[in-house]
Amino acid sequence: MRLLVACATAAATVSLSTPAEAAVPLSTPAEAATAVYGFAWADGKGHLRLVPKSATRASKRFYTFKTLHRALELRLDYTKAAYGRVTVACDLVETEGRIAVDGKGLGRTKCGPGDLTETLARGPVPVRVEYRGGKATRVNEILITDWGTPRTARGTIKRVNDTAVLFTTGGRTIKLGYTYTTAFHRTTARCGDGWLTGRPVNADRNGLGKKPCTWTELTKALKGTRHPVLVKVDYTPGVDALNEVWEVFGDA
């Protein structure tokens, strides 16, 4: 406290005795952090990605997200970021009926980057992120009123990495993320087969896969493809989440 008073006194002395210098900063202020809202996705070790959204307070505890046109995806390093959760403990999966938010509706349970890694592994997280350059300095979970309504559509997907694809339908391409909750339905005899390998022994009358498989097998199958492949998907716009994928045999 004494140090703060001394600094304040010194600054006052400078401004009174040398008015011509008072307009010149005594030190260069740190670069201001930029704040954005959106759904955070894991994007490699210690990194998250999100497409900025417009956020408004719907109540004391909840926000509403809306699409920001022409918003560009951000990829941020969060390895040194402060992380505030809406749960009352860092290791909880859900709020379990007890919510920890501050007056701005931001998660206030103090956690660390490792906790954020575990949260992102479970899927997309609605957040407010402060960042400088390519590094997140603070990440706060928030609660939102609406996660959107899933849709189904036919089109093609192309692998981006082990947790994301580009889905093209109706002349539009969307980047969709997926996690262990994503279901994969195959036309092939085995889940580990290459894309459309062998006879379509597990295709229904519409050529859609009906053999239940996992997200890791989707990743493996896509790694063996060079070009976009025909699919039917269930996805959630806004969140940009890939919920289900059906392998499609031929042009059915």
Side-chain angles (χ1 to χ4, degrees):
M1 181 63 72
R2 291 180 180 177
L3 179 59
L4 292 176
V5 172
C7 289
T9 303
T13 302
V14 170
S15 62
L16 290 173
S17 61
T18 56
E21 297 176 2
V24 180
L26 297 179
S27 62
T28 302
E31 178 188 355
T34 300
V36 293
Y37 295 80
F39 291 98
W41 287 86
D43 195 45
K45 186 176 181 180
H47 287 77
L48 62 81
R49 65 175 179 84
L50 63 79
V51 176
K53 304 285 185 182
S54 169
T56 56
R57 294 289 293 275
S59 67
K60 290 183 178 180
R61 291 182 171 181
F62 288 85
Y63 281 80
T64 297
F65 281 170
K66 290 185 178 179
T67 299
L68 275 176
H69 296 293
R70 299 183 181 179
L72 299 178
E73 182 179 279
L74 296 171
R75 184 174 189 266
L76 302 172
D77 179 329
Y78 64 80
T79 52
K80 294 184 179 180
Y83 176 39
R85 294 212 63 191
V86 297
T87 55
V88 295
C90 295
D91 60 351
L92 292 179
V93 175
E94 298 179 356
T95 61
E96 299 182 0
R98 300 173 63 195
I99 297 173
V101 295
D102 62 17
K104 296 181 179 180
L106 307 179
R108 61 181 172 84
T109 298
K110 295 180 180 179
C111 304
D115 300 304
L116 179 53
T117 297
E118 292 184 8
T119 304
L120 291 172
R122 294 190 285 268
V125 185
V127 294
R128 178 185 184 272
V129 179
E130 294 180 17
Y131 71 98
R132 294 186 180 92
K135 296 182 181 295
T137 57
R138 178 173 295 277
V139 179
N140 290 88
E141 288 182 350
I142 60 176
L143 299 169
I144 60 171
T145 56
D146 184 14
W147 282 74
T149 303
R151 299 178 185 173
T152 58
R154 288 202 182 206
T156 62
I157 57 173
K158 182 178 181 181
R159 179 179 181 272
V160 174
N161 54 38
D162 288 354
T163 58
V165 299
L166 294 177
F167 174 57
T168 301
T169 182
R172 182 186 177 202
T173 298
I174 313 166
K175 188 174 184 178
L176 300 175
Y178 65 97
T179 67
Y180 69 96
T181 61
T182 301
F184 181 32
H185 308 280
R186 304 222 59 184
T187 66
T188 56
R190 297 168 298 184
C191 288
D193 289 340
W195 200 272
L196 294 179
T197 299
R199 299 180 60 187
V201 294
N202 284 302
D204 66 14
R205 293 181 178 181
N206 296 312
L208 300 180
K210 59 181 183 179
K211 182 177 178 60
C213 300
T214 68
W215 71 302
T216 56
E217 286 148 349
L218 172 61
T219 296
K220 181 181 177 181
L222 289 176
K223 281 184 176 180
T225 65
R226 293 185 177 182
H227 305 288
V229 290
L230 190 63
V231 292
K232 175 183 175 182
V233 303
D234 178 293
Y235 72 105
T236 306
V239 183
D240 294 334
L242 183 62
N243 307 318
E244 290 187 79
V245 180
W246 287 266
E247 189 176 30
V248 177
F249 177 75
D251 297 323

